[in-house]
């Protein structure tokens, strides 16, 4: 599929879009290469990112110290490097998901599909619960070939990249839903769709509560339990990982959560967070640790991250 088929190119000819066009072209080109070559290029790119993004590297290290309090400095530094390395591979995998979906299917093994099929057999849709792993685009693309699929969507800051993302996700999924419109997602669940949902990032507002995440208070969404209650949809956790030695990917689906939701917003949010922790610990080096997960703090609590000035 030609690169420019996704958008009306004449709308994005301004010089500010030229770096994005170049990046998209590189993604498209590298996606055609064998997976070991793609991963090798990503690892080379990670060496540049490790130097160029010291603040993100520091955030990742802080989060890793929280999640692994018994690790020494060398362990944290090793995990931080692996986190940056896996994050650097992700853009090229996005190209693989967008332009080489048939190739991708041959590279991905699915374990536990019976749990998803069983959940869908109730004809009430299913909430596929996951976290922001660096190869999340791979998982969504693969699942969309097996079940009617919809996903929450947050607009990208770059208009050209946003147009490509919407086009390719819209081509693969039954629906892409603005994250401000959860009722649209619920309507899809009632039609029997599977809904990809990753509520592991920092949020604030009336739909969030402070509960522990790896032992430290962090905001958590109450929306997953509310959506499950309104739709009657089971919640099936899953995670995806890059296999060692460049042997493709493994997507693992777990049994649906039992006795969920309970009706208690705080207890349900704790259940979701504990499930997310379990998923992340299966594959910690490929999780997006560079996100400020503890940016919002309970009243009176000390900040976790250094101020911008410091």
């Amino acid at each position: 599929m030609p690169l420019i088929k996704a958008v009306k190119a004449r709308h994005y000819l301004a010089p500010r879009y030229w770096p994005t066009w170049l990046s998209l072209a590189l993604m498209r080109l590298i996606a055609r290469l064998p997976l070991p070559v793609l991963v090798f290029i990503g690892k080379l790119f990670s060496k540049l990112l490790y130097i160029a993004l010291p603040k993100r590297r520091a955030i990742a290290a802080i989060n890793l110290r929280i999640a692994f309090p018994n690790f020494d400095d060398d362990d944290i530094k090793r995990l931080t490097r692996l986190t940056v390395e896996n994050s650097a591979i992700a853009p090229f995998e996005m190209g693989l998901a967008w332009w080489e979906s048939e190739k991708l299917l041959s590279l991905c093994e699915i374990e536990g599909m019976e749990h998803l099929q069983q959940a869908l057999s109730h004809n009430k849709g299913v909430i596929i619960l996951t976290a922001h792993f660096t190869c999340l685009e791979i998982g969504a693309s693969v699942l969309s070939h097996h079940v009617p699929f919809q996903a929450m969507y947050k607009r990208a800051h770059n208009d050209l990249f946003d147009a490509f993302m919407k086009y390719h996700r819209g081509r693969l999924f039954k629906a892409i839903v603005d994250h401000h419109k959860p009722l649209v997602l619920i309507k899809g669940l009632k039609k029997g769709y599977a809904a990809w949902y990753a509520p592991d990032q920092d949020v604030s507002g009336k739909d969030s509560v402070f509960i522990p995440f790896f032992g430290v208070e962090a905001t958590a969404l109450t929306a997953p339990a509310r959506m499950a209650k309104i739709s009657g949809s089971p919640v099936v956790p899953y995670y995806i990982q890059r296999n060692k030695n460049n042997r493709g990917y493994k997507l693992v689906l777990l049994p649906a959560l039992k006795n969920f939701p309970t009706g208690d917003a705080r207890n349900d949010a704790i259940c979701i967070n504990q499930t997310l922790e379990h998923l992340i610990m299966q594959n910690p080096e490929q999780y997006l640790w560079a996100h400020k997960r503890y940016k919002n703090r309970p009243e009176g609590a000390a900040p976790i991250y250094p101020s911008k000035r410091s």
Side-chain angles (χ1 to χ4, degrees):
M1 182 178 296
L3 183 68
I4 61 173
K5 198 170 183 179
V7 299
K8 294 181 179 178
R10 66 180 183 274
H11 294 166
Y12 303 98
L13 297 179
R16 70 178 183 274
Y17 293 120
W18 294 355
T20 308
W21 279 115
L22 177 60
S23 299
L24 289 165
L26 285 172
M27 286 169 57
R28 179 71 182 95
L29 177 64
I30 294 171
R32 291 176 174 267
L33 300 174
L35 184 61
V37 180
L38 182 152
V39 172
F40 177 75
I41 293 172
K43 288 182 177 180
L44 287 179
F45 182 44
S46 74
K47 297 182 184 300
L48 173 62
L49 289 186
Y50 194 84
I51 297 170
L53 300 175
K55 291 182 179 179
R56 287 292 165 183
R57 190 175 73 226
I59 291 167
I62 290 169
N63 290 338
L64 285 165
R65 289 186 186 281
I66 290 171
F68 299 95
N70 296 324
F71 277 21
D72 60 25
D73 289 347
D74 288 341
D75 291 328
I76 295 299
K77 187 174 182 179
R78 177 184 59 82
L79 264 181
T80 302
R81 285 189 176 278
L82 285 173
T83 296
V84 175
E85 183 176 282
N86 281 285
S87 297
I89 297 169
F92 306 116
E93 289 175 331
M94 188 175 291
L96 192 62
W98 287 358
W99 288 293
E100 300 289 338
S101 57
E102 293 301 321
K103 173 183 174 181
L104 178 59
L105 289 175
S106 68
L107 293 170
C108 193
E109 169 194 2
I110 301 179
E111 180 182 306
M113 178 57 79
E114 68 275 10
H115 301 308
L116 182 55
Q117 297 294 354
Q118 182 180 2
L120 284 169
S121 69
H122 300 291
N123 296 318
K124 292 186 177 180
V126 59
I127 297 171
I128 303 178
L129 179 71
T130 191
H132 280 79
F133 292 100
T134 53
C135 49
L136 62 88
E137 198 82 14
I138 296 287
S141 177
V142 170
L143 284 174
S144 70
H145 285 84
H146 294 273
V147 295
F149 197 78
Q150 60 178 348
M152 295 292 281
Y153 162 78
K154 186 175 181 180
R155 180 179 175 82
H157 295 298
N158 183 294
D159 291 339
L160 175 56
F161 185 81
D162 185 73
F164 267 85
M165 186 163 59
K166 283 195 291 188
Y167 173 81
H168 287 289
R169 288 183 176 180
R171 183 172 57 83
L172 293 168
F173 306 159
K174 286 287 184 180
I176 50 173
V177 181
D178 187 296
H179 72 293
H180 291 301
K181 299 178 181 179
L183 290 179
V184 178
L185 198 76
I186 292 172
K187 289 180 180 179
L189 289 169
K190 290 184 176 181
K191 291 179 182 178
Y193 297 165
W196 181 96
Y197 197 49
D200 61 319
Q201 296 200 328
D202 185 82
V203 292
S204 61
K206 64 178 181 180
D207 295 327
S208 65
V209 292
F210 280 103
I211 57 172
F213 187 68
F214 288 107
V216 174
E217 294 284 303
T219 57
L221 285 168
T222 58
R226 192 165 60 255
M227 287 194 295
K229 181 178 180 180
I230 294 172
S231 64
S233 303
V235 177
V236 173
Y238 97 95
Y239 66 93
I240 183 170
Q241 66 183 28
R242 299 180 189 90
N243 294 330
K244 294 180 180 179
N245 302 320
N246 301 322
R247 294 183 178 177
Y249 305 87
K250 185 176 182 180
L251 196 157
V252 181
L253 293 147
L254 303 178
L257 298 182
K258 294 182 178 180
N259 304 316
F260 184 88
T262 64
D264 184 306
R266 181 175 177 81
N267 285 340
D268 288 337
I270 290 173
C271 176
I272 291 293
N273 261 16
Q274 290 176 345
T275 302
L276 292 172
E277 289 175 9
H278 174 74
L279 297 177
I280 293 165
M281 294 304 288
Q282 307 311 305
N283 189 20
E285 67 275 12
Q286 294 180 22
Y287 181 61
L288 189 65
W289 293 105
H291 170 70
K292 286 188 176 181
R293 184 65 184 87
Y294 306 95
K295 182 178 180 179
N296 286 295
R297 306 293 296 130
E299 186 175 353
I304 296 290
Y305 308 107
S307 66
K308 290 182 179 180
R309 183 172 298 177
S310 64

